[in-house]
Amino acid sequence: MKQTFGKNERLCNLRIIGRLFKKGSPEVQTFYLYPFRVLYIYAPEASTPLPQVLFSISKRHFKKAVDRNLIRRRCREAYRLNKSALVALPAETRPSYIAFLYLAKEITSYDVIETAMKQSLKKLEKLPPAFLKEQSNS
């Protein structure tokens, strides 16, 4: 598998981003793993075979765009190198849309970001989709 991060893997659709960040929405699952908060949606109707990903760094904590861009580049690189296990999952059991929110108040090293990204992706692999949970409870 190619280790690329192309345009089709970036989450750009404003309607889907709105769904991800909608407060109290039952379709959005979330978990915290320092320095990330991960939001994700399982959408069987998704048009792309790969999960679409968004990286968000707070302007409140990092006033300079240079700092935000540095962190965003580190996060994207960590995702690009470690996404293979997530992509290998069947399309029904992996999230279709994922948002990584960077919560740390300081610039962390690439090693910290990469280990957190690996752990986050492992957790995403193991978590069953919400609609599968509902079907098993019925």
Side-chain angles (χ1 to χ4, degrees):
M1 187 195 135
K2 284 180 147 182
Q3 290 185 325
T4 59
F5 188 66
K7 177 72 173 165
N8 60 340
E9 291 182 70
R10 297 172 200 266
L11 181 54
C12 302
N13 188 325
L14 292 177
R15 200 175 76 245
I16 296 170
I17 293 171
R19 277 174 55 193
L20 257 175
F21 289 99
K22 188 176 180 186
K23 296 247 189 240
S25 175
E27 71 175 337
V28 179
Q29 282 92 42
T30 185
F31 64 88
Y32 294 91
L33 201 97
Y34 183 82
F36 296 115
R37 176 179 178 208
V38 182
L39 304 159
Y40 57 99
I41 296 177
Y42 290 97
E45 79 281 350
S47 59
T48 61
L50 299 169
Q52 290 190 327
V53 184
L54 166 98
F55 298 97
S56 176
I57 291 84
S58 171
K59 194 174 185 178
R60 179 185 294 172
H61 299 303
F62 302 99
K63 304 286 187 210
K64 296 180 182 173
V66 173
D67 296 336
R68 291 193 303 275
N69 291 338
L70 172 70
I71 295 166
R72 193 173 293 116
R73 277 196 309 271
R74 288 178 179 175
C75 294
R76 274 199 312 250
E77 182 68 5
Y79 174 78
R80 183 184 73 81
L81 293 175
N82 297 299
K83 70 178 178 178
S84 57
L86 186 65
V87 172
L89 291 173
E92 315 80 52
T93 60
R94 76 168 169 244
S96 303
Y97 308 110
I98 308 168
F100 290 96
L101 309 178
Y102 186 82
L103 299 179
K105 292 186 170 120
E106 69 282 335
I107 299 174
T108 55
S109 70
Y110 175 75
D111 297 332
V112 172
I113 291 174
E114 186 179 35
T115 49
M117 184 64 69
K118 284 179 184 175
Q119 291 172 345
S120 298
L121 293 174
K122 255 188 197 129
K123 193 165 183 174
L124 282 171
E125 286 175 46
K126 293 179 182 170
L127 291 172
F131 62 88
L132 288 180
K133 284 182 200 173
E134 291 168 6
Q135 289 172 357
S136 63
N137 291 340
S138 303

